[in-house]
Amino acid sequence: MNQFIGLIISGLVGGALFAMISVGLVTTYITTGIFNFSQGSVAFACAFAFMELHLAAHIPTIASAAITVLIIAPAMGIGLEAWVFRHLSRAPEQARIVGTVGLALAIPAAVQICLTEVTHIPGAHVIAPAVSNPIALGPTPTRSWNLGHGILFNSNQLIILGFAALTALAYWYILKHTRIGLEMRAAVDGHQLARIRGVKLARVSRYAWIMSFISAGLVGVCGSILLGLGSDSYLVLLFVSAAAAVIGGLRSVPLAFAGGLILGVLENLVSGYVQRGPLAQVAGLGSAAPFVALLGGLWLMSRRRGRVAGTAAAASDAPVALIPPAKSWRNRTGFLVLAVVAVVVYYSVGELWQGVFNQGLAMSVIFLSFVVSTGLGGIVTLGQAAFVTCGGLLAGWFSGSYGFPLWLAAIFAIAAAIVAGVLVALPAIRLSGLQLALATLALAYIFDQLIFEIPAVGNQANGWFLARPRIGSLSFHAESRFGIVLFLALLIVIVLVRNFELSQTGRSVLATRGSRWGAASSGVSIVKARLIVFAVSAAIAAVGGLLLGQTLTEVTAASNPPLSALLWVTIVITIGIRRPAGAVLAGMSSSIFPQLLGYLTTSTQWPALLFGLGAVGLAQNPGGILELHRAQYHWVVRHVAQVWDRHRGGGLVLATAGAPVDFAATPVVDGAQLNGSDAARRTHSADRQRQADNGELPALFVENLRAGYGELEILHGVNLSARGGSITALFGMNGSGKSTLCSVLAGTVDAREGTVFLNGQDASDLGGVDRLRSGLFVVTESRSIFPGLTVEDNLRLTLRTSAEISKVLALFKELQARRDTPAGMLSGGEQQLLAMAPAMVLAPRILVADEPTLGLAPQARERILGLCQALRDRGTAVLLIEERPGEVFDIADDVALIRLGRIEWQRPRSEVSAQTLVNSFLSVTT
Amino acid sequence: MRSWNAQRRTTLLAVSAVVLLTAACSSANKQTGDSGVSGGGGSANNSSRGVSDDSIKIAGDLSETLGGNPTGNADVDLGTKARFYVTNQAGGINGRKINYIGSVDDGGSAATLLANVRKQVLDQKVFAISPFDTYAPVDASFFNDQSVPTFGDIISYAACGSKWFFGSDGCVENPTFAETTSVAAIAQYMTGKAPDPTTGAITAPVASDNPPPAGNSYAVITSSNLAQIIPTLKVAAKHVGWDACDYNATVPPSGVTDFSSFAGSIMRSCDGGKGPSVMLYVLPSTQYNVNMLRAMRGLGWKGQAEFAGFDPASLQSADLAPTLEGSIYYDDGVGFEGPDNKATYDQIRSALAGVGKPGTTISQGILAGWQSADLIVQGLTKVGKDLTPANLDKVLNSGWDTPGIAGFSSALSFPTSHTHPAPCWNIAKVESGKYVQATTFTCGQVLNSKTGAVVSGGAAK
């Protein structure tokens, strides 16, 4: 029992570190949609900042810690938010994952390079002394207390627990009791609505990042005593904290905190209790436990039907590019020339460089597995290292321990990797994006800690020698000869990958990636497609691992730790993974680049820094450098075509045959046209401004509005007006563009042409806050409320002062009675009341309500419409958008009809008869 | 589509044909070590790689960090430089000065080590490698192919089989032989008696001024990559007449944040909950060792802590030093400073001043670098003026006995020492924040790790 309690208490300390990281992870994920893989690395950077401040500037530890946590950490947060995270939040999910992974590698590399390179400057050891041991924040020597019964506790542990408690308290207070916390929760609950209600999402994100960086800073300052000075342990810290975040469903901050504590205890209990007995030999059981928990958590999350992650940027994955068409004859000759040149170069350089190229070839095979999994299957896989190690290590084990010939051992090893790949795929079938990436990582760690740590498998950590092939008396041992083997193997794998891409299975994989439901309804089996992708990718990675092992002549369990897979992902994304050529270029770069750098600098961290930054920069462009240049090339071609055509006075002809269609690219618009409408717009708006100032313009005036989504235009030139002190009813059937119009008015959809005037002011450039200030209040379709916030919180978001809130509650007794109930639990009528109630106090100049009476009982409808009339009587311009005329028609002053994106007519109600309405709805021309 | 595939295949075939033709033509001309025979290849004429009329080019390979944590090996480079400085001042080796171009870090990674060595041998054309102090698993095939004499602290067992690796303590990690030094060292310290020259046993009781643990039991905590030393240590413990605790668990090399579970387990496996009388701490960094020791002390452990090697920086740390007070450090490579080796230490200090680092604290890294540099100097001197790999192999591997430095480093005998460890040790104790020599440099016996039988005896120095 004593052991149990002791393990729990000390487990809580480790758990406290996980908890502090995971609350930051969840907070930034739910507010910005970015899962920050670099959170652990930030803690690492803060740890070193703290230590260097103390050692170099001789600032006492507490002051150094305060400077680090309160100044340096937030500064990092603000800087990275402006430079990286702001752009990443608009990128597709794959880019967001890879971008932060790149940052996770770049930050420690930068820190270590600074420290290494600085030592070359004479006298620099005064500025940045080498750190040989972590520095404790607490009293030195450490005080410890024996709590009796063999349970011990020391001051460092106390500090960690204290900081964790402080973090928990701070997060709770901020989220529950401050304005910014309210805005964060609102942004999570309803992203669009929050924008409409005037929440500045950029500001909310910035605060979220500052909060999470501060908690990472705390971990860095107090945790280095436990974590040591190696950057790897901070990455592992992040992954375990990710497991804790998953326990919180990637949504709940308190659950994530608790999850961190639980995982710390779990890890400790497992390592504590399995130390006796046959499992004692497997050192990694304790450290594997959190990853098992991570897998379990992800699997549970996938079973939950409801909404999982909060806001997450609305951007979906970039549209899948079609398979690039066949190369033209001219390109193929170029390829041949390149191959001949490469061969000539290869045989004229010395053995050293032949070895470098050989390693590049082996890495190319490994990267080809990414072409299958990420380029084709769209899966960001962070666990490829496990398959690579499988290939080499198991082949070595089978041949070294059991005496199989290497080719037979290789077959077994590849088969084992395929089984592993299927095992990875099975629990992950339903997962996608971030959760899948986390699952692959978890599985890689489980393999690494459990299977590869078995002494027999790893030959007692000595590893296995892998001989190069020999056919009869012909030996391929020499570098130049072995290069042939590698080259042929690479060619074969490329052909296999291309054939796979073009096969039916390959196409079905592409289909499921483009649209899961579309694929499923076409009879394509998602399960089968995913299993095959994982199996093929694993097999290729295993072959690569075997070849790499032969190139390096040995393989150990530690040859390819899970973390190396992160670096591979950044390399391969930077260079480009859509095509095999990208994989080969990436493979050669990964080997040649460090070799070249070795001539310039002694630090080994540069590849991590440069490829990490490359991944951050190019994350948005899944084609990597290759496609970036191709895109630039095509842009130049298009631009030239434009200029040429304008000269000839003809229309626009895009002469880029062979380019992959990329729907994500901004459509090319003829420059002349744009300029024309801008100028016209400007003169018109000057006129309108004058009219508004004279009081001639209606409060809401829409002129010639065109708007839509993507390539689709919904509104084809809408002209509408609503005067103050009147109710304008806009009717239209489904699909006529009512909601789009409402969205444009609210500011969530941009107008492409035409103008919206709010009180005579051109509203094109106004965001949510400014539209509110212009006096616009929008009630969107399906209840403009935040279901997860209480009634009072909902009001607090829209109304600034408590006096206004009290007034509203006094006016609406039913809301008063339910002020602490989550808004999602109110009845339909109460919710609509809640949505519109603030208008009574705010007295907006313009009220736009989209289907305000939809789904309401007659009494509730009456109430709502009564509200509208009250507002009209006060001088508000009320625009009611409805599908069915009904009672709205009765209270309207003006009636308009919208059909197929155009306003058919707008007349005073007196001029509209019931027959007119019927005819319009039935499209009968009178 | 089908015709496209066929076109593609033709291209690939054409390219492969070109490659094969070129390869066949060119590899007929080149003969860079492709026989694959161990130790074969390399040109055997007078001009030797890295050797000119007046200089010998040497470079080193170290693991300065492991998992990002510093290992203390960075100083090995300095020790090597200092020792070579002494030789160069005295005129060099047979008229040639040593051109030491420095050491490179591999971070514990086998791939990095191989890349570094390839660059040093193929690009920078060094004659030999020294120091060689790496935690990365070593594969000897490149060294054999290229005939690269390598002198250093040969840790990896894979290197022991090659005739090109000369370890300054012999082959330390050969699983055939037991890891005797730490046990013998601590037994000698605690009993005040050297082992019996014939049987190697230490039969005297524990001296009374040491804290008297109940019974003499021995345990070790290490990381999983060194797990193989555990059974051999048990054999060694039995050999000196002690009990070995039944504890086999290891810590993952990346460490854990909390050692209390391990501490509790060890306490329970030894002596009915009292813990071992002596415990050896071999974790990747001093911080981990100290964390583990704290966990043990917190559970009331009163036994003697033993650390491998020594780490002056940790005694400077206000946080670590108090916990380390009273600990024993044993070193099986070099002798701690004491009256029996003062001359050598003075020489080291003046050499450090000579290379521009006067007053540097002598760390274990500096000593290890000095020791392996001393070995290569002895070896190259013995080979003589005709300095080629082939001649070195002929001279040193046909019976080369080197006496070591008195009170400082072990005697070795090649080719035996290619596969056998040199079982010498000595002890320092941490007293008032400083290392104080507690036993002089003593040598013992090599035992068979399975049976415990004595394989060879070493004369006490």
Side-chain angles (χ1 to χ4, degrees), chain B residues 17 43 63 77 84 211 367:
Chain B
S43 50
S63 290
D77 170 66
F84 286 156
L367 294 176

Side-chain angles (χ1 to χ4, degrees), chain B residues 137-352:
Chain B
V138 176
D139 176 62
S141 42
F142 179 76
F143 296 83
N144 293 337
D145 284 349
Q146 300 287 332
S147 307
V148 185
T150 305
F151 292 76
D153 210 347
I154 309 299
I155 299 178
S156 177
Y157 171 50
C160 287
S162 161
K163 63 181 178 176
W164 296 105
F165 285 85
F166 297 84
S168 33
D169 301 317
C171 172
V172 176
E173 294 294 339
N174 188 336
T176 316
F177 305 117
E179 176 74 45
T180 53
T181 51
S182 61
V183 179
I186 193 67
Q188 179 184 5
Y189 167 73
M190 296 190 70
T191 60
K193 290 258 191 313
D196 183 292
T198 324
T199 64
I202 297 181
T203 50
V206 172
S208 62
D209 62 336
N210 288 312
N216 291 343
S217 53
Y218 189 84
V220 61
I221 182 76
T222 183
S223 51
S224 55
N225 54 317
L226 291 176
Q228 68 269 22
I229 68 174
I230 300 178
T232 76
L233 280 166
K234 292 187 177 171
V235 167
K238 287 212 169 35
H239 183 71
V240 300
W242 282 21
D243 293 321
C245 295
D246 182 21
Y247 179 75
N248 300 314
T250 55
V251 174
S254 49
V256 292
T257 52
D258 179 62
F259 286 92
S260 57
S261 57
F262 294 94
S265 246
I266 294 181
M267 289 295 279
R268 276 189 305 281
S269 338
C270 291
D271 246 331
K274 296 208 187 71
S277 359
V278 182
M279 186 161 143
L280 174 65
Y281 295 77
V282 194
L283 293 173
S285 75
T286 310
Q287 181 68 52
Y288 291 152
N289 283 331
V290 167
N291 287 348
M292 181 68 197
L293 178 54
R294 283 203 187 114
M296 294 289 291
R297 292 281 183 236
L299 291 179
W301 181 57
K302 299 267 185 292
Q304 177 66 55
E306 184 185 13
F307 290 79
F310 71 115
D311 181 9
S314 60
L315 293 189
Q316 309 294 338
S317 158
D319 181 48
L320 301 176
T323 313
L324 294 173
E325 188 70 20
S327 310
I328 299 296
Y329 278 80
Y330 92 95
D331 198 309
D332 56 1
V334 284
F336 291 111
E337 185 166 7
D340 57 334
N341 54 29
K342 189 168 181 327
T344 309
Y345 271 81
D346 286 339
Q347 191 184 27
I348 296 176
R349 273 187 273 269
S350 77
L352 285 173

Side-chain angles (χ1 to χ4, degrees), chain B residues 51-185:
Chain B
V51 174
S52 72
D53 285 338
D54 55 4
S55 79
I56 310 168
K57 203 173 197 188
I58 299 179
D61 292 289
L62 305 171
S63 290
E64 290 175 24
T65 58
L66 194 59
N69 291 300
T71 57
N73 273 354
D75 280 348
V76 176
D77 170 66
L78 181 55
T80 302
K81 223 183 264 179
R83 180 65 185 84
F84 286 156
Y85 169 80
V86 169
T87 296
N88 281 345
Q89 289 296 101
I93 300 177
N94 296 323
R96 294 187 176 102
K97 295 271 173 88
I98 299 174
N99 177 14
Y100 173 63
I101 61 171
S103 294
V104 193
D105 179 26
D106 60 31
S109 150
T112 314
L113 172 65
L114 184 65
N116 292 343
V117 172
R118 290 176 63 90
K119 183 168 169 190
Q120 287 165 335
V121 171
L122 297 172
D123 196 31
Q124 294 170 314
K125 303 251 188 289
V126 303
F127 171 71
I129 300 233
S130 184
F132 190 76
D133 219 331
T134 170
Y135 290 105
V138 176
D139 176 62
S141 42
F142 179 76
F143 296 83
N144 293 337
D145 284 349
Q146 300 287 332
S147 307
V148 185
T150 305
F151 292 76
D153 210 347
I154 309 299
I155 299 178
S156 177
Y157 171 50
C160 287
S162 161
K163 63 181 178 176
W164 296 105
F165 285 85
F166 297 84
S168 33
D169 301 317
C171 172
V172 176
E173 294 294 339
N174 188 336
T176 316
F177 305 117
E179 176 74 45
T180 53
T181 51
S182 61
V183 179

Side-chain angles (χ1 to χ4, degrees), chain A residues 298 378-382 424-425 428-429 431-441 530 534:
Chain A
L298 288 170
I379 301 164
V380 177
T381 161
L382 300 176
V424 169
I429 296 257
L431 302 176
S432 62
L434 173 68
Q435 298 169 5
L436 187 55
L438 287 174
T440 54
L441 185 71
R530 189 155 269 190
F534 270 99

Side-chain angles (χ1 to χ4, degrees), chain A residues 10 142 326 332 477 553-554 599, chain B residues 4 11 123 137 139 145 260 319:
Chain A
S10 52
T142 319
R332 203 163 319 117
H477 182 83
T553 66
E554 71 163 346
Y599 291 114
Chain B
W4 179 88
T11 318
D123 196 31
D139 176 62
D145 284 349
S260 57
D319 181 48

